Amino acid sequence: MTPHRAALDAAVTEVRGEINRVDTKAACVASLVTFLLSAGTAALVTVPMRSPARVAGWVGVLLLVGSMVAVVLALRPRLGRGRGSWLLHAETSPADLVVHFAQPSPLVVDQAAQLKTLSVIGGAKFRLLRAATDLLLAALAVAVATGGLALLG
């Protein structure tokens, strides 16, 4: 194995690990948002509140819905079809695969393309998880304000 190939192997493994980490984090955030959506909606429907508190509560619920959408998009599979994607193998004939893998130099190019594809996927997932977390924090701030308004009024 060449040094370039070993470095690419390590980089691909690292990026795959980061994608697994973000998927795990997104699943945890999804569970939390689901609980908060259920509790918030139930409270808004059953607890008597004045209009300002109720409006603030529904704003919080909408922020939670936005957070859930971002989490679901982060968890959504992204299937790259370019060079270096394993899906390309599904569209290639067995004979072409044998020829492709018999040549050592294209493998490094394919691995570099795979690293690029995985890095783009991982970056998109982390950005969506960051947006989901930001929306979740905003919803929690609104929930605190809703509680304050409900107590005052």
Side-chain angles (χ1 to χ4, degrees):
M1 182 180 289
T2 67
H4 296 304
R5 180 87 191 265
L8 282 171
D9 276 343
V12 167
T13 300
E14 179 184 2
V15 172
R16 285 183 190 271
E18 291 298 321
I19 289 173
N20 285 336
R21 273 186 58 224
V22 76
D23 284 345
T24 301
K25 288 179 179 185
C28 290
V29 171
S31 296
L32 176 62
V33 171
T34 300
F35 168 75
L36 293 174
L37 267 172
S38 300
T41 304
L44 285 170
V45 171
T46 59
V47 175
M49 293 182 219
R50 293 187 178 258
S51 291
R54 189 164 306 281
V55 168
W58 284 113
V59 167
V61 166
L62 288 176
L63 288 168
L64 287 172
V65 168
S67 179
M68 183 56 92
V69 167
V71 168
V72 168
L73 289 174
L75 289 171
R76 182 176 178 259
R78 284 173 176 68
L79 305 173
R81 291 207 174 260
R83 187 179 177 111
S85 169
W86 59 270
L87 288 174
L88 185 63
H89 302 322
E91 299 169 354
T92 305
S93 72
D96 288 342
L97 284 173
V98 169
V99 170
H100 176 74
F101 283 107
Q103 302 170 357
S105 60
L107 289 179
V108 173
V109 173
D110 285 349
Q111 200 169 21
Q114 181 184 36
L115 178 60
K116 169 70 175 168
T117 300
L118 288 172
S119 297
V120 168
I121 290 169
K125 285 178 172 272
F126 269 105
R127 282 188 295 279
L128 284 166
L129 184 59
R130 185 181 334 137
T133 305
D134 292 345
L135 289 167
L136 176 59
L137 291 172
L140 292 174
V142 170
V144 169
T146 301
L149 287 170
L151 289 174
L152 291 175

